[in-house]
Amino acid sequence: MSTKGRSAARLARGAVKRQQILDAAAKVLARRGYAATTLAEIAEEVGSAGAGSLYYHFDSREQLIEELLCRGVHVAFEESRRAVACLPASASPLERLEAAIRAHVRSVLVESDYARASGRSAPQVPSDMWGRINADFRRYGKFYDQLIATAMASGELDATVDRSALRMLVVGAINWAPEWYRRSGTSTPDEIANLLVRLMVRGVGPAERKK
Amino acid sequence: MSTKGRSAARLARGAVKRQQILDAAAKVLARRGYAATTLAEIAEEVGSAGAGSLYYHFDSREQLIEELLCRGVHVAFEESRRAVACLPASASPLERLEAAIRAHVRSVLVESDYARASGRSAPQVPSDMWGRINADFRRYGKFYDQLIATAMASGELDATVDRSALRMLVVGAINWAPEWYRRSGTSTPDEIANLLVRLMVRGVGPAERKK
DNA sequence: GTCTATAACCGGATAGAC
DNA sequence: GTCTATCCGGTTATAGAC
């Protein structure tokens, strides 16, 4: 993306460390949550000697975390959107929604500490910070909502159910999944995603003989 | 329940304040989460002047919160069990599971700060404390698992799905619900519970004409 | 039983050496 | 750019007055 040449590369070297800090912070936040995360633990995760070192790259704990959370939503959002965009044009609205859900589950369970950190920490962020970042979360929510609305319009989902409640139940189940999912568990992330999609569409009641 | 007469009543007077503290702490924990709750805020909620006053009733912040969380699971557990027990003997295994889910949703969304606090905070408790209380959470999980297993055995749920994953997705959606549910929202708690039950059993795909 | 004061501690943030 | 030392505010916990 950069068109700035060598000087950009020189700047980028600084940016590398910045990245590493963000990566480390995402890891810590994903396992500790917003309130319990300390700069000391982040510093340890990056290999720095003390928390003071972080202040060369970031103005404050809040700013560091805010940037991290923003990236988290964008990662999950981008993954979902890409998964939808990769479908053939013939894909139905429901199939698009399903692809988004599967991608979201993958982001949160296997791919990204950022996505995991965002999902987990979103509810605990202080209100002033939330005021600055909730637009990003809403955008993602809106994206989901449109996928659902379209699937309803096509007749693939029951249009009489509360779209908002449906979305939040599904997204909630996804955001909660990192709390219990373990690699040693019985189901893989893909199997979990498949189960969640199935719950949304037809449930786990016994297969009824269709007309 | 007490059979101790007047002296118990005298002791109980002290216990009343203890209760009020626990109630206040549950309220704070439910909205702030484990890490962010401070004794000062709990004291303010009960109307005490300072945090120091709490130490007459509790040994430490940890002990106070631990007791509160234990009560939280028990409240939700008890509500669910009672809801199941109140069903007529003719109720099917699936109907029992549904009743438990509805009761759990009600506990978490409207009835109990304790249940809400427990559900929200469980993932953030430090490991030493978790070691002491996870048995209670597991007992509740086991109860759910048996309801699911029985519904599968009766043929009302597909016995080929991963019971554990199914349970955690459903419980996860419930535990997450307080994060987004607002009284001003479009659906009532009962409607949310109904939707969740429907997702589990038949999903929101279009009603298929049955055989 | 509850209050006030305070000790002990911890985490965020700054400053200056290197 | 990173480290070390340090300050400051907030939080848990204790002590002693009332």
Side-chain angles (χ1 to χ4, degrees), chain A residues 158 162 186-187 199-201 204, chain B residues 158 162 186-187 199-200 204-205:
Chain A
D158 181 346
D162 180 343
T186 50
S187 286
L199 288 178
M200 182 180 70
V201 178
V204 293
Chain B
D158 182 346
D162 180 342
T186 50
S187 286
L199 288 178
M200 181 180 71
V204 292

Side-chain angles (χ1 to χ4, degrees), chain A residues 119 123 155-158 162 168 172 176 179-180 186-187 198-206 208-211, chain B residues 119 123 155-158 162 168 172 176 179-180 186-187 198-206 208-211:
Chain A
E156 291 174 296
L157 290 184
D158 181 346
D162 180 343
M168 294 315 290
W176 193 261
E179 310 293 351
W180 54 268
T186 50
S187 286
R198 176 173 167 184
L199 288 178
M200 182 180 70
V201 178
R202 62 190 173 101
V204 293
E208 302 177 24
R209 316 160 199 73
K210 298 167 194 157
K211 153 63 186 305
Chain B
E156 291 175 297
L157 291 184
D158 182 346
D162 180 342
M168 294 314 291
W176 194 261
E179 310 293 352
W180 55 269
T186 50
S187 286
R198 176 174 169 184
L199 288 178
M200 181 180 71
V201 179
R202 60 189 173 102
V204 292
E208 302 176 22
R209 315 163 198 72
K210 298 165 194 163
K211 151 61 187 308

Side-chain angles (χ1 to χ4, degrees), chain B residues 85-147:
Chain B
C86 284
L87 292 176
S90 60
S92 76
L94 179 58
E95 286 168 339
R96 289 170 196 279
L97 173 58
E98 291 179 2
I101 291 173
R102 290 199 173 88
H104 194 177
V105 171
R106 244 191 327 270
S107 295
V108 153
L109 285 189
V110 319
E111 257 152 36
S112 173
D113 290 320
Y114 289 92
R116 188 162 34 251
S118 299
R120 164 159 194 179
S121 303
Q124 344 179 16
V125 306
S127 54
D128 60 327
M129 180 169 147
W130 183 247
R132 292 190 296 273
I133 65 176
N134 74 2
D136 298 88
F137 284 83
R138 288 192 116 81
R139 222 181 336 260
Y140 193 21
K142 181 88 171 145
F143 168 75
Y144 253 106
D145 188 59
Q146 282 169 347
L147 289 174

Side-chain angles (χ1 to χ4, degrees), chain B residues 150-204:
Chain B
T150 309
M152 285 177 173
S154 77
E156 291 175 297
L157 291 184
D158 182 346
T160 66
V161 318
D162 180 342
R163 283 210 308 273
S164 170
L166 172 61
R167 183 181 95 240
M168 294 314 291
L169 284 174
V170 170
V171 170
I174 295 174
N175 281 333
W176 194 261
E179 310 293 352
W180 55 269
Y181 171 72
R182 296 287 173 273
R183 283 188 357 194
S184 50
T186 50
S187 286
T188 67
D190 279 348
E191 287 167 343
I192 289 167
N194 284 336
L195 176 55
L196 181 57
V197 164
R198 176 174 169 184
L199 288 178
M200 181 180 71
V201 179
R202 60 189 173 102
V204 292

Side-chain angles (χ1 to χ4, degrees), chain A residues 23-64:
Chain A
D23 289 352
K27 220 177 262 182
V28 176
L29 218 77
R31 65 165 177 263
R32 293 267 194 253
Y34 176 86
T37 297
T38 67
L39 294 179
E41 192 169 355
I42 295 172
E44 190 194 14
E45 183 78 35
V46 286
S48 288
S53 310
L54 303 178
Y55 284 87
Y56 177 78
H57 301 278
F58 298 91
D59 290 340
S60 70
R61 175 186 189 268
E62 283 231 331
Q63 191 225 316
L64 162 54

